[in-house]
Amino acid sequence: MNSKKEHMLEALELAKRGSLTTSPNPMVGCVITHNNEVIGRGWHERSGENHAEINAIEDVLSNLGNKSKEALKESELFVNLEPCTTFGKTPPCADSISEYGIRKVYFGNEDKAQQGFSKLLPGIEVESGLLEEEGRKLNKGFFSRIEKGRPYISCKVASALDGGIALPSGESKWITSSDSRKDVHKIRAYSDAILTGTGTIQKDNPQLTSRDSGLDEGSYKQPLRVVVDRNNVLTGKENIFSSGTQTILFINQESQLKDKENVEIAKLNATPNLPLEEVVRYLAEEKLINNLMVEAGSGLINSLLLERLVDELILYRGPKLLGENRQSFVNLDVAAEKLGTIDLEIEDIEEIGEDIKYSLLPKY
């Protein structure tokens, strides 16, 4: 016999099927049971389309035919996020749950963007908090945008064993293996946007697109590319301006760059003292960015750490030594006075090819 947790685990697994396509909406999966047997499954497949609960109800109708309505009146619904109660691009799921008379609803996480399912429908029995931690981890970007007003921010760093990210000359290409680079492209595909600085663009001239991830190209949308150019160093000819992928620029008022087909000039001016917190809040409010990946040099990473904006460091360490006078990913000699010691919680360690990948959570 399946337990409540097992049904919710299945809902969470179903939710992951929308990981490349639901943003800015959260990933949501739903399981409907009758006498503890699953009679319907569904997940939110794409932003603007049916939510998970509606797809699960439709699955019940398809599976049980003319017996479905009676079964639904005696059913229990498991969904990792509180059912929506407000109109968006689709009607509220709460209406359909009420219409079909579903007896009890289990959900993992409250949705503070909604009006409260149990308050609006007090006649339906509700149990919340089931696998809450797992649900928050799955939708950490969505919860960050809704609750903090900014995206979940991950900084990618590739370093040698001695902590260097570049030789004294600044040369840094291929510290890590092709397997790690493929993994980075996969993270890009799962990200809504990638933030970089002008130093990285001038040095590496990256495209910042997801190309070699191993994922089907048609299964995901290229992330929005984000550049902060405080000193007007960009010319408009760099790879970051390549067609087919959107780029947003935060520029100084004196910049000559203008909006064009795939380039948008942000309404927020990149003054010398503009806090990066304002940039990431702009991305959340104006662009509905849930997950922001940072691929930049030590200057931008330093600034993000000083403002305590980094939620996760993704560190790839390759079996190389860069030696004396190597460049470090964070200039702690300068930052330590303001920043203090940063404790890092190791969330995960993974071998990727000949490299080691660490997922580290700063504890400010």
Side-chain angles (χ1 to χ4, degrees):
M1 181 179 290
N2 288 329
S3 67
K4 293 184 293 185
K5 285 187 177 180
E6 286 174 317
H7 292 314
M8 187 61 79
L9 279 171
E10 183 175 5
L12 286 164
E13 286 302 312
L14 288 168
K16 293 175 185 178
R17 298 186 185 186
S19 58
L20 291 167
T21 53
T22 62
S23 189
N25 291 351
M27 292 169 272
V28 184
C30 180
V31 170
I32 299 175
T33 67
H34 181 263
N35 294 331
N36 208 32
E37 295 294 328
V38 176
I39 59 173
R41 297 174 173 88
W43 66 94
H44 182 39
E45 298 178 16
R46 192 175 299 275
S47 176
E49 297 181 3
N50 282 348
H51 288 187
E53 300 93 321
I54 304 305
N55 285 332
I57 289 171
E58 290 186 351
D59 191 41
V60 173
L61 298 177
S62 174
N63 291 336
L64 299 185
N66 56 16
K67 297 179 181 179
S68 58
K69 291 186 178 180
E70 284 303 314
L72 282 167
K73 289 178 182 178
E74 300 173 352
S75 69
E76 296 183 337
L77 182 147
F78 295 80
V79 62
N80 58 291
L81 187 67
E82 181 179 12
C84 65
T85 55
T86 57
F87 271 91
K89 294 181 179 178
T90 59
C93 296
D95 288 357
S96 293
I97 292 171
S98 176
E99 177 189 343
Y100 284 101
I102 291 172
R103 184 171 62 85
K104 185 170 182 176
V105 171
Y106 297 87
F107 64 82
N109 303 104
E110 292 184 2
D111 184 353
K112 294 184 178 180
Q114 301 298 319
Q115 298 174 353
F117 179 82
S118 57
K119 290 180 182 178
L120 289 180
L121 296 171
I124 298 177
E125 189 178 353
V126 171
E127 185 175 323
S128 62
L130 190 58
L131 300 184
E132 182 176 12
E133 185 177 339
E134 291 86 345
R136 286 194 68 85
K137 184 177 179 180
L138 177 67
N139 282 307
K140 56 192 177 185
F142 172 77
F143 286 118
S144 182
R145 178 170 63 83
I146 295 299
E147 296 173 3
K148 296 181 182 179
R150 66 164 177 83
Y152 184 91
I153 300 173
S154 303
C155 282
K156 186 273 292 184
V157 179
S159 82
L161 289 175
D162 54 8
I165 65 168
L167 295 168
S169 64
E171 184 181 350
S172 63
K173 282 213 167 182
W174 314 150
I175 292 174
T176 53
S177 67
S178 59
D179 293 309
S180 289
R181 294 193 292 276
K182 183 176 181 178
D183 191 64
V184 169
H185 278 265
K186 185 176 289 186
I187 296 174
R188 288 179 182 178
Y190 284 97
S191 300
D192 302 311
I194 301 174
L195 172 65
T196 194
T198 54
T200 297
I201 293 174
Q202 288 181 301
K203 184 177 68 176
D204 298 332
N205 197 21
Q207 295 182 50
L208 292 183
T209 55
S210 178
R211 303 178 302 280
D212 305 316
S213 64
L215 300 168
D216 292 336
E217 285 191 15
S219 67
Y220 61 92
K221 182 181 177 182
Q222 288 291 346
L224 175 69
R225 300 175 293 195
V226 184
V227 188
V228 179
D229 182 9
R230 301 177 190 272
N231 300 310
N232 303 329
V233 301
L234 299 181
T235 66
K237 297 178 180 178
E238 295 84 358
N239 286 338
I240 199 80
F241 296 99
S242 60
S243 61
T245 301
Q246 291 297 116
T247 301
I248 184 168
L249 300 178
F250 293 82
I251 57 174
N252 193 294
Q253 282 182 319
E254 298 174 3
S255 174
Q256 300 301 307
L257 296 173
K258 304 294 181 185
D259 284 332
K260 59 180 185 179
E261 182 182 355
N262 64 308
V263 178
E264 176 184 344
I265 305 301
K267 301 180 183 70
L268 190 65
N269 288 323
T271 57
N273 57 356
L274 174 69
L276 287 170
E277 183 169 8
E278 291 190 29
V279 172
V280 297
R281 286 189 177 278
Y282 182 97
L283 292 174
E285 293 168 10
E286 298 294 327
K287 297 299 175 184
L288 302 179
I289 300 300
N290 289 336
N291 294 289
L292 176 65
M293 182 182 183
V294 179
E295 294 195 52
S298 58
L300 187 56
I301 293 176
N302 253 341
S303 298
L304 288 165
L305 284 168
L306 285 169
E307 293 188 45
R308 302 189 172 195
L309 293 172
V310 178
D311 295 300
E312 182 176 0
L313 284 167
I314 302 173
L315 174 61
Y316 297 88
R317 300 197 75 175
K320 292 182 174 64
L321 296 172
L322 299 187
E324 191 177 8
N325 299 321
R326 63 192 176 275
Q327 294 187 17
S328 173
F329 83 87
V330 59
N331 186 0
L332 287 175
D333 292 338
V334 174
E337 184 178 344
K338 292 183 180 179
L339 193 61
T341 302
I342 303 176
D343 290 327
L344 297 171
E345 176 187 333
I346 300 175
E347 184 181 53
D348 190 36
I349 301 176
E350 180 183 358
E351 287 189 28
I352 298 185
E354 59 187 17
D355 305 325
I356 304 293
K357 175 186 175 183
Y358 298 85
S359 295
L360 307 168
L361 308 180
K363 300 297 179 185
Y364 297 109

